[in-house]
Amino acid sequence: MSNMFLLTLLLALFSVDVSAQHKLLSVESLFVKPTFGYAQLNSLGNKIAVYGYEKGDLRIKLLDLHQGDEQLIFAAKKNENVHVKTLFWLDDNIFYFETRHKNNTANQFNKWLVEMNNLTQDFSLRRINSNGYVIDPLPNEAKKLWYATYKGRRSKLKIYKTDYRALLRDNFSNEVEFESTLTDANDYKTDANHQIRFSHTYDEEKDEVTYRYLDADKKWQSLKTLDPLENEFTPIGFLKNGKLAVITNLNSDLKSVYEFDVNTQQLGKVLYQHPNYDIESAQLDEKGSSVLSASYFEQGKWQTEYFDEKFHYYKKLIQQTFADQQFYFMSHNQARDRFIFKVFSSDQVGQIYFFDAQTKQAMYLGSENNYIQNVKFSPTKTIKVETSDKQLIEAMLTRPQLEADNHVLLVMPHGGPVGVRDWKYFNPEVQYLVNRGYSVLQVNYRGSDGYGKKFLDEGRGEFGKTIERDINTAVKQVTSTSNYQHICAIGASYGGYSAVMLSILHPSVYQCVIARFGVFDLPLIFSDRNSKLDEKVTKRWARVVGKNDEKLLAHSPVYLSNKIQNPVLITAGRLDKQASFEHSNRLKYVLKMHKADVESVYYKWSGHGHSQLLAQQHELAYIDDFIRRKLNLPPPIGEYSSDIQAREALLIKAGLADPDLVFIPNNRAP
């Protein structure tokens, strides 16, 4: 971040190295902590608080746009493993942030206040000892915030509109207490005028969410009670006509923006609805009187429609300059004429800019990954696929540069499977594999989020059935127009399960399988983690997996292991609480019983995925090595290829020998 004031431009494009020589990228350069993670403007728009990592060390800095300099506010060494949870301004000279110090078994959370002195340019950094959390920093009231606090886990939650100094004292006796707290609320939210108006409560017994609003008499009234797995209902804020703007699919297949009458409890007119896709988020304008924007994924790209003429103009300016890029505003000043925005795409890591609407100038602030600047990556292409029952699904194909192509297709189902999706952001896992010559196919099969309620529901209870048929249809379409010499299946979570099932259902199609953090014994899902004692958990799982009966055995890889004919790599986390380690251990055990070609790598401090960069880097390097060995592929090509291969071979070897990274279980599966 040291050079972030060296480049000021009139929305000029970033240069990309398009030299003929293919550049092989190391796993260490792709999987890093963000060199520029987040930035927020103060209300005047003259200071920016930012955080990022320099060689793994956390840095929080203050950028002064008038003085053109920066100050280091907070630092933590790489080995301290400190992450920033949130960061925002309380007024023009005071900002708040939270940190999480993560070790292998626990988290330590801290809250901090930074106060700037405009005369001396000095600052004070103080830690907050009060238990609680910020509901709203109240940008229109200097040094004030809505704060929820509690003295202990069993004490009653209290909410105050308070001066920030009360947090430092942990004494709120002189502050204004919010008198309408609820005993069962899970959270509170403010409206566009920064008044507490909304809350929601989750009823564990009924598996229902109740949304409430605070009326003019300071009494909580019910908005809607619903099953969150079946329907969406998200309040956005009150409009000038007194109606509530909400995102919901109660009266439609697609999540859309509606008016909601709080008195009659009825939905009114549609404020915005996309013809094909769910609305993922929406915002009101600065007065809270009308809808400012609505966002959605269109053919895998993040899109935002602005209904305000000024914001529509800003969007047009950015899109004209950053062609084919996606973007969103990170923060803005109170006048909404200065912004920080991020541009990104499937083939470009996120770049962050400051934009002054009055001068129409942008200033480059930083990249999320400085180690891969100006590198040419492969774009992801969206493909429309029609299934045998005439359902249209979207798939995404990322192909390597021609000179690096090894003619291997990796089919990569996403996790979930219900309510999750793939989209065209910069995915370092995909780009690592593509950089090494593989093509990667991702399929938003039925059950994926963003395509409506009916499409999502058609994936329920379809483990090993409709979902895998959708994926297979996409594979057939892609392979009908391209000559792939090998196909392998790779996935994590549900994707790990799907990768194994694809090889069982189509053994002649797939030559290898990489199953990561997966579920492989479907009946075990219902008995694992004592969930057999919890009827609610059983019902919840049944709505995703299907009814817990003997029919699940026909779609469980553990009970179909004799049909697995191809090499399998299993990776898992010892601390996984979502797809417990026992799933992977059982699959390995039965495959070895059948003398199958199976390898496994279990990570000691990983859960449902990795929290350590080293484990993530090791796993991806091992996956590439596994595929090459099993398919007898040549080494990847590219500039610095020999050095990178040697380093990653050493990384694999050292990791396997490190008992603090790779876990070798002593127990045997029953």
Side-chain angles (χ1 to χ4, degrees):
M1 291 191 292
S2 59
N3 65 343
M4 52 183 60
F5 285 94
L6 299 180
L7 179 60
T8 302
L9 69 163
L10 182 62
L11 284 173
L13 277 172
F14 225 64
S15 62
V16 175
D17 187 349
V18 293
S19 60
Q21 175 69 42
H22 174 67
K23 289 187 176 181
L24 191 69
L25 296 173
S26 68
V27 70
E28 294 97 334
S29 67
L30 273 166
F31 295 91
V32 299
K33 293 179 180 178
T35 49
F36 196 106
Y38 180 73
Q40 190 173 67
L41 276 166
N42 65 353
S43 61
L44 284 178
N46 63 352
K47 293 185 178 71
I48 307 175
V50 305
Y51 79 82
Y53 293 84
E54 298 177 6
K55 297 182 179 179
D57 296 342
L58 173 65
R59 298 283 187 268
I60 298 179
K61 295 184 177 183
L62 179 75
L63 315 181
D64 190 313
L65 295 173
H66 285 171
Q67 299 295 327
D69 60 13
E70 63 181 42
Q71 283 181 282
L72 179 64
I73 303 297
F74 180 90
K77 292 291 186 181
K78 178 179 179 180
N79 59 6
E80 295 179 77
N81 205 15
V82 177
H83 304 267
V84 177
K85 279 193 65 194
T86 188
L87 180 153
F88 51 78
W89 290 89
L90 296 180
D91 73 1
D92 287 317
N93 296 300
I94 301 170
F95 70 89
Y96 167 103
F97 66 95
E98 297 179 11
T99 58
R100 180 188 68 174
H101 171 218
K102 182 175 176 60
N103 60 31
N104 290 329
T105 57
N107 290 305
Q108 178 184 337
F109 297 96
N110 290 306
K111 296 184 283 290
W112 307 84
L113 273 174
V114 179
E115 190 166 9
M116 311 302 303
N117 187 317
N118 278 338
L119 295 177
T120 64
Q121 300 300 309
D122 292 331
F123 69 90
S124 64
L125 171 67
R126 288 177 284 180
R127 187 160 68 181
I128 297 169
N129 294 315
S130 170
N131 291 323
Y133 60 91
V134 176
I135 297 173
D136 190 317
L138 296 177
N140 298 329
E141 297 187 51
K143 301 180 182 181
K144 296 283 187 179
L145 66 156
W146 283 114
Y147 188 72
T149 183
Y150 49 90
K151 294 299 182 182
R153 289 185 177 180
R154 297 184 180 180
S155 64
K156 181 182 177 182
L157 182 77
K158 293 187 176 183
I159 298 174
Y160 297 93
K161 179 182 279 190
T162 177
D163 186 283
Y164 75 96
R165 285 165 287 204
L167 277 67
L168 297 167
R169 298 189 301 265
D170 194 19
N171 185 338
F172 300 90
S173 58
N174 296 324
E175 307 304 317
V176 178
E177 184 174 357
F178 178 69
E179 298 292 344
S180 301
T181 55
L182 295 162
T183 58
D184 59 351
N186 290 90
D187 74 350
Y188 296 87
K189 291 184 178 180
T190 57
D191 60 15
N193 296 313
H194 303 285
Q195 300 302 310
I196 295 176
R197 294 296 302 275
F198 307 106
S199 73
H200 85 263
T201 301
Y202 176 62
D203 187 325
E204 290 189 8
E205 291 298 321
K206 296 180 179 179
D207 203 12
E208 291 179 338
V209 173
T210 297
Y211 294 90
R212 299 186 177 97
Y213 77 99
L214 194 65
D215 66 15
D217 296 324
K218 304 298 182 183
K219 294 182 179 179
W220 288 102
Q221 306 293 339
S222 177
L223 286 170
K224 188 66 67 175
T225 297
L226 50 81
D227 182 339
L229 293 181
E230 295 292 336
N231 292 290
E232 171 85 12
F233 187 90
T234 302
I236 304 169
F238 283 98
L239 303 166
K240 61 183 177 182
N241 62 5
K243 304 290 179 63
L244 183 67
V246 300
I247 299 174
T248 186
N249 57 4
L250 286 172
N251 281 11
S252 58
D253 181 56
L254 293 168
K255 289 185 285 188
S256 308
V257 185
Y258 284 87
E259 282 188 351
F260 181 79
D261 190 313
V262 297
N263 297 313
T264 66
Q265 301 279 291
Q266 296 296 314
L267 291 173
K269 69 178 182 180
V270 177
L271 299 175
Y272 184 76
Q273 182 178 66
H274 192 280
N276 301 312
Y277 300 104
D278 287 328
I279 301 303
E280 304 294 339
S281 66
Q283 288 182 303
L284 297 186
D285 63 18
E286 58 187 323
K287 297 179 181 179
S289 59
S290 61
V291 177
L292 169 69
S293 66
S295 302
Y296 52 88
F297 292 104
E298 182 176 36
Q299 297 188 38
K301 295 180 71 172
W302 180 254
Q303 303 282 9
T304 300
E305 296 293 335
Y306 290 98
F307 312 115
D308 174 270
E309 185 177 341
K310 179 171 65 175
F311 275 80
H312 184 75
Y313 173 67
Y314 298 157
K315 173 185 174 180
K316 185 178 178 181
L317 270 181
I318 293 171
Q319 287 184 328
Q320 285 176 344
T321 304
F322 299 96
D324 299 323
Q325 299 291 305
Q326 301 163 68
F327 85 96
Y328 63 84
F329 293 112
M330 275 187 168
S331 69
H332 55 77
N333 63 343
Q334 188 171 354
R336 296 197 181 194
D337 58 8
R338 288 186 161 195
F339 303 88
I340 295 172
F341 67 90
K342 171 182 167 181
V343 295
F344 63 98
S345 65
S346 61
D347 59 343
Q348 180 179 283
V349 70
Q351 311 287 329
I352 294 88
Y353 290 84
F354 165 76
F355 173 53
D356 188 324
Q358 294 184 6
T359 63
K360 298 185 179 64
Q361 286 189 322
M363 180 172 68
Y364 172 69
L365 294 177
S367 168
E368 290 183 325
N369 187 342
N370 282 340
Y371 303 102
I372 53 174
Q373 290 285 70
N374 307 335
V375 175
K376 182 180 179 182
F377 288 98
S378 296
T380 299
K381 177 184 177 183
T382 300
I383 301 168
K384 293 285 188 179
V385 179
E386 185 177 47
T387 65
S388 59
D389 58 348
K390 307 302 180 183
Q391 174 67 62
L392 279 178
I393 59 175
E394 290 181 348
M396 283 162 282
L397 180 65
T398 312
R399 304 192 65 168
Q401 296 176 37
L402 188 61
E403 64 273 21
D405 196 340
N406 61 17
H407 306 289
V408 176
L409 176 65
L410 301 182
V411 180
M412 187 183 285
H414 65 67
V418 176
V420 181
R421 63 166 301 131
D422 278 319
W423 62 292
K424 293 159 77 170
Y425 67 102
F426 184 86
N427 185 327
E429 288 188 2
V430 170
Q431 291 295 343
Y432 173 79
L433 295 167
V434 172
N435 180 256
R436 274 153 173 68
Y438 307 101
S439 294
V440 176
L441 177 67
Q442 300 163 281
V443 182
N444 280 333
Y445 47 74
R446 273 173 277 197
S448 301
D449 187 43
Y451 301 93
K453 190 162 40 177
K454 182 177 181 293
F455 188 90
L456 184 140
D457 288 342
E458 286 180 353
R460 297 186 187 276
E462 293 300 316
F463 281 49
K465 294 177 282 188
T466 297
I467 291 174
E468 280 59 48
R469 286 196 292 271
D470 284 353
I471 296 169
N472 188 53
T473 302
V475 171
K476 283 183 176 180
Q477 181 167 314
V478 168
T479 55
S480 69
T481 57
S482 301
N483 183 25
Y484 292 104
Q485 296 173 5
H486 303 283
I487 304 176
C488 291
I490 174 174
S493 192
Y494 178 83
Y497 163 88
S498 183
V500 179
M501 284 304 299
L502 286 168
S503 73
I504 292 171
L505 295 168
H506 309 285
S508 63
V509 174
Y510 298 92
Q511 284 79 58
C512 70
V513 176
I514 299 93
R516 309 168 60 201
F517 307 93
V519 290
F520 308 113
D521 185 343
L522 299 187
L524 178 63
I525 292 174
F526 293 91
S527 59
D528 202 15
R529 301 182 301 277
N530 293 320
S531 61
K532 61 183 177 182
L533 303 177
D534 192 335
E535 186 179 351
K536 301 185 298 296
V537 173
T538 300
K539 288 181 178 179
R540 200 175 303 144
W541 273 115
R543 292 159 69 184
V544 177
V545 182
K547 186 178 179 181
N548 183 20
D549 58 27
E550 61 182 16
K551 292 180 182 178
L552 289 182
L553 300 179
H555 305 287
S556 294
V558 164
Y559 303 99
L560 303 170
S561 56
N562 62 314
K563 297 183 179 181
I564 300 175
Q565 303 173 11
N566 302 301
V568 178
L569 170 63
I570 304 169
T571 65
R574 181 177 67 97
L575 305 179
D576 197 335
K577 294 181 180 180
Q578 289 178 254
S580 72
F581 169 73
E582 182 62 18
H583 282 274
S584 295
N585 212 27
R586 287 189 181 189
L587 181 60
K588 174 186 174 182
Y589 178 80
V590 294
L591 287 174
K592 283 192 171 293
M593 279 183 56
H594 292 294
K595 302 189 185 311
D597 185 352
V598 58
E599 297 180 19
S600 61
V601 185
Y602 302 145
Y603 294 93
K604 185 174 182 179
W605 300 113
S606 296
H608 199 58
H610 300 296
S611 59
Q612 297 178 330
L613 278 176
L614 179 60
Q616 189 177 28
Q617 294 166 353
H618 184 272
E619 186 196 15
L620 265 293
Y622 193 102
I623 287 170
D624 178 44
D625 177 71
F626 172 83
I627 298 172
R628 292 186 188 280
R629 285 189 285 108
K630 298 307 174 181
L631 300 184
N632 196 26
L633 299 177
I637 67 166
E639 193 176 358
Y640 311 118
S641 175
S642 297
D643 290 343
I644 291 173
Q645 289 175 62
R647 290 206 310 271
E648 293 189 359
L650 182 61
L651 169 67
I652 293 170
K653 183 178 179 180
L656 293 175
D658 183 355
D660 202 46
L661 181 69
V662 173
F663 168 68
I664 302 175
N666 294 320
N667 63 303
R668 290 167 56 88

